[in-house]
């Protein structure tokens, strides 16, 4: 048998501010004696994964993310290549993170973004950390592309919002957290509502087709009631992730 390099691998999906649930889940995992040895994340999962891999606990990361400085990067600008601008986000991330490169992180981290020049789903696990985080979390249309070495990148979640593949065959136990549940809705009307639901269905399908690759799969159903840009519900979303993970671990 091939000896697997890591005991626990953690997959963190994208999902906007629903990503606060990742932190609640991580807190529950820690209380259960589980600490990941490697993390694969995209979009919101990239941000959470990087801050956690930087030797911060779940509560510390939550505090950093909801601080006025870090969420102030969302600023409306005149639409050109994106509707929102990451004003101050890079500067604040660099102040918040102790590590400047992937190599300096306490936990190995793999992030993902979409190269829109070469049309390739790109893996980042070396070099400048903040640029990779920005690239991985640059939601199309909402944010402008991030340029790295002459190429433009957007949120990797548009291709694969549940990047479990890099951990396959390398971990004894893979834990996947998907923060994009899609539940039953009786009344769906209006172009905006339909568009948002279509987006969620696509994201959900990424996890649905890959969840069997995980030994432990966590998908907090109650998150369907929260938007992906709802900063005001951070603590509630955190608690939902925590509660659901406790339930899953108790029955595993």
């Amino acid at each position: 048998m091939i000896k697997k390099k890591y005991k626990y691998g953690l997959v963190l999906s994208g999902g906007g501010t629903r990503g606060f649930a990742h932190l609640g889940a991580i807190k529950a995992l820690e209380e259960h004696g589980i600490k990941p040895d490697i993390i694969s994340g995209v979009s919101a999962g990239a941000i959470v994964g990087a801050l956690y891999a930087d030797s911060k606990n779940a509560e510390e990361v939550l505090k950093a993310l909801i601080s006025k400085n870090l969420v102030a990067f969302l600023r409306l600008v005149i639409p050109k290549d994106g509707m929102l601008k990451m004003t101050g986000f890079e500067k604040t991330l660099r102040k918040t993170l102790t590590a400047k490169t992937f190599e300096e992180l306490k936990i190995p981290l793999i992030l993902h973004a979409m190269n829109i020049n070469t049309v390739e789903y790109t893996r980042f696990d070396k070099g400048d950390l903040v640029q990779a985080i920005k690239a991985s979390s640059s939601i199309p249309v909402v944010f402008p592309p991030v340029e790295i070495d002459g190429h433009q990148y957007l949120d990797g979640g548009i291709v694969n919002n549940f990047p479990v593949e890099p951990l396959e065959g390398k971990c004894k136990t893979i834990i996947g957290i998907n923060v994009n549940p899609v539940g039953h809705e009786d009344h769906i009307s209006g172009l905006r509502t339909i568009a948002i639901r279509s987006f969620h269905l696509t994201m959900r399908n990424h996890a649905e087709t890959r969840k069997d690759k995980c030994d432990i799969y966590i998908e907090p159903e109650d998150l369907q009631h929260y938007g992906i840009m709802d900063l005001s519900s951070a603590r509630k979303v955190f608690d939902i992730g925590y509660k659901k993970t406790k339930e899953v671990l108790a029955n595993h």
Side-chain angles (χ1 to χ4, degrees):
M1 293 180 66
I2 299 174
K3 185 177 180 180
K4 296 183 178 178
K5 186 175 181 180
Y6 304 103
K7 184 176 182 181
Y8 294 112
L10 181 63
V11 183
L12 301 177
S13 77
T17 52
R18 289 180 175 183
F20 288 117
H22 284 317
L23 293 169
I26 288 171
K27 181 178 180 180
L29 290 171
E30 287 178 334
E31 291 178 356
H32 204 74
I34 298 173
K35 187 172 178 65
D37 301 294
I38 186 170
I39 300 170
S40 177
V42 67
S43 198
I47 298 171
V48 170
L51 288 167
Y52 184 65
D54 194 43
S55 194
K56 293 176 173 57
N57 63 44
E59 289 284 354
E60 287 176 333
V61 177
L62 178 66
K63 184 177 179 180
L65 287 174
I66 62 177
S67 70
K68 291 181 180 179
N69 288 333
L70 197 50
V71 299
F73 73 90
L74 296 174
R75 181 171 68 85
L76 285 169
V77 295
I78 299 173
K80 183 179 179 182
D81 48 8
M83 292 176 64
L84 297 174
K85 189 175 180 181
M86 291 182 169
T87 304
F89 185 50
E90 178 176 351
K91 181 179 179 181
T92 307
L93 263 183
R94 292 194 186 280
K95 285 184 178 179
T96 305
L97 288 162
T98 302
K100 306 306 176 188
T101 66
F102 282 88
E103 291 84 353
E104 296 174 58
L105 292 169
K106 304 300 181 184
I107 302 172
L109 176 70
I110 305 168
L111 303 185
H112 307 81
M114 183 65 189
N115 185 322
I116 59 175
N117 295 108
T118 64
V119 200
E120 294 177 309
Y121 188 67
T122 305
R123 165 179 173 153
F124 291 95
D125 58 7
K126 297 180 179 66
D128 189 287
L129 180 60
V130 172
Q131 282 296 96
I133 296 171
K134 286 175 59 184
S136 183
S137 57
S138 186
I139 302 171
V141 182
V142 178
F143 297 116
V146 174
E147 184 172 325
I148 300 176
D149 296 332
H151 286 222
Q152 291 183 306
Y153 293 88
L154 286 173
D155 191 325
I158 62 178
V159 175
N160 180 359
N161 199 49
F162 195 72
V164 66
E165 288 82 357
L167 304 187
E168 285 188 276
K170 298 178 181 177
C171 307
K172 293 181 180 178
T173 301
I174 296 178
I175 303 166
I177 305 172
N178 174 44
V179 295
N180 291 289
V182 179
H184 177 83
E185 288 285 348
D186 289 319
H187 304 290
I188 301 173
S189 62
L191 185 59
R192 181 176 181 276
T193 301
I194 293 171
I196 292 173
R197 189 163 178 81
S198 297
F199 171 76
H200 286 158
L201 285 169
T202 301
M203 298 299 102
R204 172 71 170 84
N205 186 57
H206 293 168
E208 189 65 24
T209 57
R210 293 173 171 85
K211 68 180 183 181
D212 290 342
K213 298 176 184 291
C214 299
D215 300 288
I216 300 173
Y217 180 72
I218 300 161
E219 184 181 283
E221 299 87 353
D222 289 347
L223 292 178
Q224 65 182 300
H225 304 301
Y226 295 85
I228 62 170
M229 298 297 282
D230 183 5
L231 293 167
S232 65
S233 300
R235 175 54 73 173
K236 291 180 181 178
V237 169
F238 178 98
D239 291 340
I240 288 171
Y242 176 81
K243 181 181 177 182
K244 180 63 179 181
T245 304
K246 282 287 193 181
E247 291 175 2
V248 170
L249 292 176
N251 294 318
H252 197 274

